[in-house]
Amino acid sequence: MWQESSNLTNAFGDLSIGSIWQETPDCSESSLVSQLQTTLDLQQQLDIFSMSAGRVLPLCGMTLNTHSSNLQARGSKKGTYHHQSKLVLENQVLAEISYDSAHAFTPLVQRQLLLLESEWLFALRNALLVSRLQQMALKDPLTTLGNRRFFDDSFVKSVQLAKRHQLPLTLLLLDLDNFKQVNDNSGHYVGDEVLIAVADCMRESLRATDSLFRFGGDEFAVLLSDSDAEHADVVADRLLQSIYTNAFLASHNVGCSIGMARLSAEHQPRDLFHAADEALYQAKLSGKGRVSQYNGGRVKLLEKAAHSLLAAS
């Protein structure tokens, strides 16, 4: 089974209209259902299902859309003809599946695919439940940013990947200015709204590929890679300005300080984190509303217009 799944990269291209065009899929309990029940990983289930669907009609590609993910079967590409189907179990739409093929999806083919889809429903529901629980365990429930557990895992992997392929990586650590006064004077409900507003500013001012995290309290982190890592000072400035120009945050006199550190060849994950943390500490000492960069054992304070905004508020 796993050998068949691992060869899926070439499966779409190898299927020919003359060989299996009219072949009826084997949907017995000993085939597709039993294979799908061996894994709770959505990608693996999609790859297994695509092999069976490819016996109904030569396929170019297949996409599975759920409420939280968009997955493609390995080797997928666009085709001349398309077909979409909703996967529904007990009146609940679990996902939508899209097929691509160089051949038309006749009524007979659609019925055969529908039969195959019915064999997937229970395994798919279980996989979606596990995926949802895993995501909840890695998300901060208030801001929906990654939590500290997710950061720790992502940070180590990002450092290892960057060093292995000699790629740039920059860590930003954020600490909110004047947040304690918000909780003391306006209550924790308003404090929660402040944290949500900061998370929204982070999402709006940073690319979707960047990794955003909330440690807890009023501490946040950003992992920058590729071109953003190389121009991290520009990114940090953009983030700082986004927070300081937010009307709700300004009304509560909330800003932030940012510590920045770039990965070097001798850095281990703990070294990079310590460098960014030291830079953040210096930014806070300097009067807040600043970006401070750790560079070669020294901390360089980067003057930002946001500091004057805080002083004026």
Side-chain angles (χ1 to χ4, degrees), residues 219-239:
E219 298 176 336
F220 298 82
V222 180
L223 281 173
L224 300 173
S225 57
D226 301 326
S227 60
D228 277 350
E230 295 176 340
H231 303 93
D233 54 337
V234 177
V235 176
D237 183 40
R238 186 169 69 240
L239 176 56

Side-chain angles (χ1 to χ4, degrees), residues 29-195:
E29 288 292 329
S30 61
S31 57
L32 179 60
V33 172
S34 59
Q35 290 183 50
L36 290 169
Q37 290 176 343
T38 62
T39 177
L40 289 171
D41 183 85
L42 282 173
Q43 183 65 59
Q44 291 180 359
Q45 286 195 3
L46 177 61
D47 292 340
I48 292 170
F49 179 81
S50 67
M51 296 299 294
S52 292
R55 299 187 182 100
V56 174
L57 181 72
L59 296 173
C60 300
M62 185 182 299
T63 302
L64 181 71
N65 294 307
T66 73
H67 75 286
S68 61
S69 62
N70 187 315
L71 303 175
Q72 285 190 330
R74 283 177 288 176
S76 291
K77 58 184 178 180
K78 293 295 183 181
T80 306
Y81 296 93
H82 311 280
H83 174 63
Q84 289 186 329
S85 179
K86 293 185 183 297
L87 303 180
V88 181
L89 179 62
E90 298 174 352
N91 296 321
Q92 178 186 5
V93 178
L94 301 179
E96 184 177 86
I97 190 166
S98 301
Y99 305 88
D100 282 272
S101 178
H103 310 285
F105 291 86
T106 66
L108 174 60
V109 167
Q110 293 182 35
R111 286 196 297 272
Q112 291 176 322
L113 290 176
L114 184 62
L115 177 61
L116 277 183
E117 292 165 6
S118 69
E119 301 291 336
W120 190 9
L121 295 178
F122 287 99
L124 176 61
R125 183 178 64 178
N126 292 338
L128 288 171
L129 177 60
V130 170
S131 176
R132 190 174 301 115
L133 292 174
Q134 289 174 336
Q135 290 177 1
M136 290 173 59
L138 299 175
K139 294 290 185 181
D140 170 55
L142 179 64
T143 64
T144 70
L145 300 180
N147 60 18
R148 182 58 187 261
R149 175 184 172 187
F150 192 18
F151 170 80
D152 289 342
D153 185 55
S154 300
F155 183 49
V156 171
K157 290 180 179 178
S158 296
V159 170
Q160 292 173 343
L161 181 65
K163 295 184 72 170
R164 184 180 306 121
H165 299 285
Q166 297 183 333
L167 299 172
L169 180 70
T170 300
L171 172 63
L172 305 181
L173 295 181
L174 288 73
D175 187 84
L176 300 188
D177 300 328
N178 304 326
F179 179 70
K180 183 178 184 300
Q181 289 88 324
V182 174
N183 280 333
D184 291 344
N185 299 330
S186 302
H188 289 281
Y189 175 80
V190 176
D192 287 347
E193 293 297 315
V194 165
L195 295 172

